Amino acid sequence: MIDALFEKLIGLLESQTGLYNALLTVLQAEKAAALNSDLAPLNRAVKEKENVLLEIRILEEQRLNMLGQAAGILGAPADQLTLKRLAQQLPGPYAERVRTCRSNLVSLTQSIQELNNSNRKLFRRSLELVKGSINLLGSLRSPAPVYCQTGKI
């Protein structure tokens, strides 16, 4: 039973790693589409990102549930059982696999965070350019007033 739980937990961590890899790939596609001003691939990337994030949330709930079960078996408080602490309390092969998953997840989340920040800056700048263009077009369309508020020309 204990072995089955830890095998299932490690399998779930490996699945999460795969999903975070997929999210990184989608964010890269999103950035490329934005840089190329290519709306169709950008829309596909946004939809795919939403789907991957939903899958990540589902697996995260399962992971938290399994960590709670593991905490009960190991006699540790569930809210304090991080992957690092879990690896310290597991026997050899399990500990190494959890450490590997943790390392991969930390690296991926850092890359995702950096790319997400980069995309955020890109989209903000694009929005500023669009607003500037709209303001410019608006000012070209409406002629300067002939009379001042005082009625003088």
Side-chain angles (χ1 to χ4, degrees), residues 4 11 25 35-36 41-42 59 66 71 80-81 84 93 95 97 105-106 111 123 133 140 149:
T25 301
L35 288 170
N36 292 326
L42 181 60
L59 285 186
M66 284 187 210
Q80 296 177 7
L81 190 60
K84 185 175 183 178
R97 288 174 65 196
L105 286 168
V106 166
S111 296
F123 288 118
S133 296
L140 293 174
Q149 288 181 348

mmCIF file of all heavy atoms in Angstrom, residues 4 11 25 35-36 41-42 59 66 71 80-81 84 93 95 97 105-106 111 123 133 140 149:
data_model
loop_
_atom_site.group_PDB
_atom_site.id
_atom_site.type_symbol
_atom_site.label_atom_id
_atom_site.label_comp_id
_atom_site.label_asym_id
_atom_site.label_seq_id
_atom_site.Cartn_x
_atom_site.Cartn_y
_atom_site.Cartn_z
ATOM 1 N N ALA A 4 2.654 1.579 -3.280
ATOM 2 C CA ALA A 4 1.714 1.979 -4.333
ATOM 3 C C ALA A 4 1.429 3.480 -4.268
ATOM 4 O O ALA A 4 1.369 4.149 -5.302
ATOM 5 C CB ALA A 4 0.419 1.186 -4.206
ATOM 6 N N GLY A 11 4.527 9.155 -10.097
ATOM 7 C CA GLY A 11 3.944 9.180 -11.444
ATOM 8 C C GLY A 11 3.189 10.482 -11.688
ATOM 9 O O GLY A 11 3.273 11.074 -12.773
ATOM 10 N N THR A 25 6.212 25.296 -23.673
ATOM 11 C CA THR A 25 6.147 25.269 -25.137
ATOM 12 C C THR A 25 5.034 26.181 -25.655
ATOM 13 O O THR A 25 5.224 26.924 -26.622
ATOM 14 C CB THR A 25 5.938 23.818 -25.630
ATOM 15 O OG1 THR A 25 7.030 23.013 -25.171
ATOM 16 C CG2 THR A 25 5.851 23.745 -27.139
ATOM 17 N N LEU A 35 4.923 38.274 -31.437
ATOM 18 C CA LEU A 35 5.987 39.015 -32.111
ATOM 19 C C LEU A 35 5.743 39.130 -33.609
ATOM 20 O O LEU A 35 6.109 40.119 -34.237
ATOM 21 C CB LEU A 35 7.350 38.366 -31.846
ATOM 22 C CG LEU A 35 7.908 38.548 -30.432
ATOM 23 C CD1 LEU A 35 9.140 37.669 -30.228
ATOM 24 C CD2 LEU A 35 8.240 40.008 -30.167
ATOM 25 N N ASN A 36 5.110 38.099 -34.181
ATOM 26 C CA ASN A 36 4.814 38.096 -35.613
ATOM 27 C C ASN A 36 3.453 38.714 -35.921
ATOM 28 O O ASN A 36 3.038 38.732 -37.084
ATOM 29 C CB ASN A 36 4.856 36.666 -36.161
ATOM 30 C CG ASN A 36 6.251 36.094 -36.138
ATOM 31 O OD1 ASN A 36 7.220 36.815 -36.333
ATOM 32 N ND2 ASN A 36 6.355 34.801 -35.895
ATOM 33 N N PRO A 41 -2.470 31.832 -34.792
ATOM 34 C CA PRO A 41 -1.652 31.039 -33.878
ATOM 35 C C PRO A 41 -1.687 31.574 -32.433
ATOM 36 O O PRO A 41 -1.613 30.802 -31.487
ATOM 37 C CB PRO A 41 -0.235 31.160 -34.449
ATOM 38 C CG PRO A 41 -0.423 31.518 -35.867
ATOM 39 C CD PRO A 41 -1.692 32.318 -35.929
ATOM 40 N N LEU A 42 -1.841 32.886 -32.300
ATOM 41 C CA LEU A 42 -1.930 33.462 -30.956
ATOM 42 C C LEU A 42 -3.193 32.965 -30.257
ATOM 43 O O LEU A 42 -3.140 32.548 -29.090
ATOM 44 C CB LEU A 42 -1.921 34.992 -31.027
ATOM 45 C CG LEU A 42 -1.990 35.726 -29.694
ATOM 46 C CD1 LEU A 42 -0.810 35.360 -28.806
ATOM 47 C CD2 LEU A 42 -2.030 37.233 -29.925
ATOM 48 N N LEU A 59 -4.286 18.090 -11.655
ATOM 49 C CA LEU A 59 -3.204 17.270 -11.087
ATOM 50 C C LEU A 59 -2.716 17.840 -9.758
ATOM 51 O O LEU A 59 -2.328 17.090 -8.865
ATOM 52 C CB LEU A 59 -2.040 17.160 -12.068
ATOM 53 C CG LEU A 59 -2.236 16.229 -13.259
ATOM 54 C CD1 LEU A 59 -0.944 16.116 -14.065
ATOM 55 C CD2 LEU A 59 -2.687 14.852 -12.823
ATOM 56 N N MET A 66 -2.643 13.394 -2.343
ATOM 57 C CA MET A 66 -1.667 12.316 -2.113
ATOM 58 C C MET A 66 -0.618 12.719 -1.078
ATOM 59 O O MET A 66 -0.183 11.895 -0.277
ATOM 60 C CB MET A 66 -0.996 11.920 -3.419
ATOM 61 C CG MET A 66 -1.858 11.085 -4.300
ATOM 62 S SD MET A 66 -0.885 10.519 -5.706
ATOM 63 C CE MET A 66 -2.152 10.408 -6.921
ATOM 64 N N ALA A 71 1.696 12.275 4.202
ATOM 65 C CA ALA A 71 1.987 12.910 5.485
ATOM 66 C C ALA A 71 1.452 12.049 6.623
ATOM 67 O O ALA A 71 2.116 11.878 7.654
ATOM 68 C CB ALA A 71 1.378 14.308 5.533
ATOM 69 N N GLN A 80 3.121 21.070 5.927
ATOM 70 C CA GLN A 80 4.559 21.332 5.944
ATOM 71 C C GLN A 80 5.347 20.321 5.114
ATOM 72 O O GLN A 80 6.573 20.381 5.067
ATOM 73 C CB GLN A 80 5.082 21.327 7.382
ATOM 74 C CG GLN A 80 4.500 22.436 8.226
ATOM 75 C CD GLN A 80 4.966 22.369 9.668
ATOM 76 O OE1 GLN A 80 5.827 21.560 10.027
ATOM 77 N NE2 GLN A 80 4.392 23.211 10.501
ATOM 78 N N LEU A 81 4.649 19.412 4.465
ATOM 79 C CA LEU A 81 5.321 18.360 3.696
ATOM 80 C C LEU A 81 5.571 18.838 2.263
ATOM 81 O O LEU A 81 4.731 18.706 1.386
ATOM 82 C CB LEU A 81 4.508 17.066 3.704
ATOM 83 C CG LEU A 81 5.216 15.848 3.130
ATOM 84 C CD1 LEU A 81 6.487 15.529 3.902
ATOM 85 C CD2 LEU A 81 4.290 14.647 3.140
ATOM 86 N N LYS A 84 10.786 18.573 -1.030
ATOM 87 C CA LYS A 84 12.130 18.449 -0.455
ATOM 88 C C LYS A 84 12.085 17.641 0.844
ATOM 89 O O LYS A 84 12.890 16.724 1.053
ATOM 90 C CB LYS A 84 12.707 19.840 -0.207
ATOM 91 C CG LYS A 84 14.127 19.845 0.265
ATOM 92 C CD LYS A 84 14.660 21.267 0.382
ATOM 93 C CE LYS A 84 16.114 21.279 0.790
ATOM 94 N NZ LYS A 84 16.654 22.643 0.855
ATOM 95 N N PRO A 93 15.457 4.809 -3.493
ATOM 96 C CA PRO A 93 15.004 5.019 -4.871
ATOM 97 C C PRO A 93 13.848 6.023 -4.972
ATOM 98 O O PRO A 93 13.798 6.823 -5.895
ATOM 99 C CB PRO A 93 14.560 3.645 -5.353
ATOM 100 C CG PRO A 93 14.701 2.712 -4.209
ATOM 101 C CD PRO A 93 15.343 3.436 -3.069
ATOM 102 N N ALA A 95 13.261 8.483 -2.862
ATOM 103 C CA ALA A 95 13.813 9.803 -2.537
ATOM 104 C C ALA A 95 14.489 10.422 -3.759
ATOM 105 O O ALA A 95 14.295 11.604 -4.057
ATOM 106 C CB ALA A 95 14.797 9.692 -1.378
ATOM 107 N N ARG A 97 13.971 9.792 -6.952
ATOM 108 C CA ARG A 97 12.982 10.144 -7.976
ATOM 109 C C ARG A 97 12.214 11.411 -7.610
ATOM 110 O O ARG A 97 11.938 12.246 -8.461
ATOM 111 C CB ARG A 97 12.031 8.967 -8.202
ATOM 112 C CG ARG A 97 12.709 7.811 -8.938
ATOM 113 C CD ARG A 97 11.844 6.581 -9.036
ATOM 114 N NE ARG A 97 10.659 6.808 -9.845
ATOM 115 C CZ ARG A 97 9.603 5.989 -9.822
ATOM 116 N NH1 ARG A 97 9.609 4.909 -9.048
ATOM 117 N NH2 ARG A 97 8.564 6.247 -10.579
ATOM 118 N N LEU A 105 10.749 20.374 -11.732
ATOM 119 C CA LEU A 105 9.628 21.292 -11.550
ATOM 120 C C LEU A 105 10.105 22.696 -11.177
ATOM 121 O O LEU A 105 9.571 23.691 -11.678
ATOM 122 C CB LEU A 105 8.656 20.747 -10.495
ATOM 123 C CG LEU A 105 7.798 19.571 -10.939
ATOM 124 C CD1 LEU A 105 7.096 18.926 -9.748
ATOM 125 C CD2 LEU A 105 6.787 20.000 -11.985
ATOM 126 N N VAL A 106 11.107 22.782 -10.320
ATOM 127 C CA VAL A 106 11.642 24.096 -9.937
ATOM 128 C C VAL A 106 12.220 24.799 -11.161
ATOM 129 O O VAL A 106 11.962 25.979 -11.408
ATOM 130 C CB VAL A 106 12.697 23.958 -8.814
ATOM 131 C CG1 VAL A 106 13.499 25.238 -8.642
ATOM 132 C CG2 VAL A 106 12.024 23.575 -7.498
ATOM 133 N N SER A 111 11.571 28.953 -15.469
ATOM 134 C CA SER A 111 11.548 29.284 -16.899
ATOM 135 C C SER A 111 10.187 29.828 -17.308
ATOM 136 O O SER A 111 10.096 30.803 -18.071
ATOM 137 C CB SER A 111 11.880 28.059 -17.747
ATOM 138 O OG SER A 111 13.186 27.620 -17.500
ATOM 139 N N PHE A 123 3.006 42.178 -24.269
ATOM 140 C CA PHE A 123 1.602 42.514 -24.474
ATOM 141 C C PHE A 123 1.278 43.914 -23.964
ATOM 142 O O PHE A 123 0.484 44.628 -24.572
ATOM 143 C CB PHE A 123 0.677 41.462 -23.849
ATOM 144 C CG PHE A 123 0.666 40.171 -24.617
ATOM 145 C CD1 PHE A 123 1.097 38.989 -24.035
ATOM 146 C CD2 PHE A 123 0.240 40.129 -25.931
ATOM 147 C CE1 PHE A 123 1.104 37.797 -24.747
ATOM 148 C CE2 PHE A 123 0.230 38.956 -26.654
ATOM 149 C CZ PHE A 123 0.665 37.780 -26.059
ATOM 150 N N SER A 133 -1.799 54.538 -31.359
ATOM 151 C CA SER A 133 -2.303 54.604 -32.736
ATOM 152 C C SER A 133 -3.744 55.085 -32.767
ATOM 153 O O SER A 133 -4.123 55.899 -33.615
ATOM 154 C CB SER A 133 -2.200 53.237 -33.412
ATOM 155 O OG SER A 133 -0.853 52.849 -33.532
ATOM 156 N N LEU A 140 -6.362 62.935 -35.844
ATOM 157 C CA LEU A 140 -6.358 63.262 -37.271
ATOM 158 C C LEU A 140 -7.772 63.413 -37.816
ATOM 159 O O LEU A 140 -8.014 64.187 -38.738
ATOM 160 C CB LEU A 140 -5.629 62.173 -38.069
ATOM 161 C CG LEU A 140 -4.130 62.047 -37.836
ATOM 162 C CD1 LEU A 140 -3.599 60.839 -38.598
ATOM 163 C CD2 LEU A 140 -3.406 63.314 -38.257
ATOM 164 N N GLN A 149 -13.049 78.671 -26.420
ATOM 165 C CA GLN A 149 -14.197 78.670 -25.535
ATOM 166 C C GLN A 149 -14.726 80.069 -25.259
ATOM 167 O O GLN A 149 -15.894 80.270 -24.972
ATOM 168 C CB GLN A 149 -13.836 77.981 -24.200
ATOM 169 C CG GLN A 149 -13.695 76.487 -24.348
ATOM 170 C CD GLN A 149 -13.367 75.825 -23.018
ATOM 171 O OE1 GLN A 149 -13.026 76.508 -22.048
ATOM 172 N NE2 GLN A 149 -13.481 74.502 -22.991
#
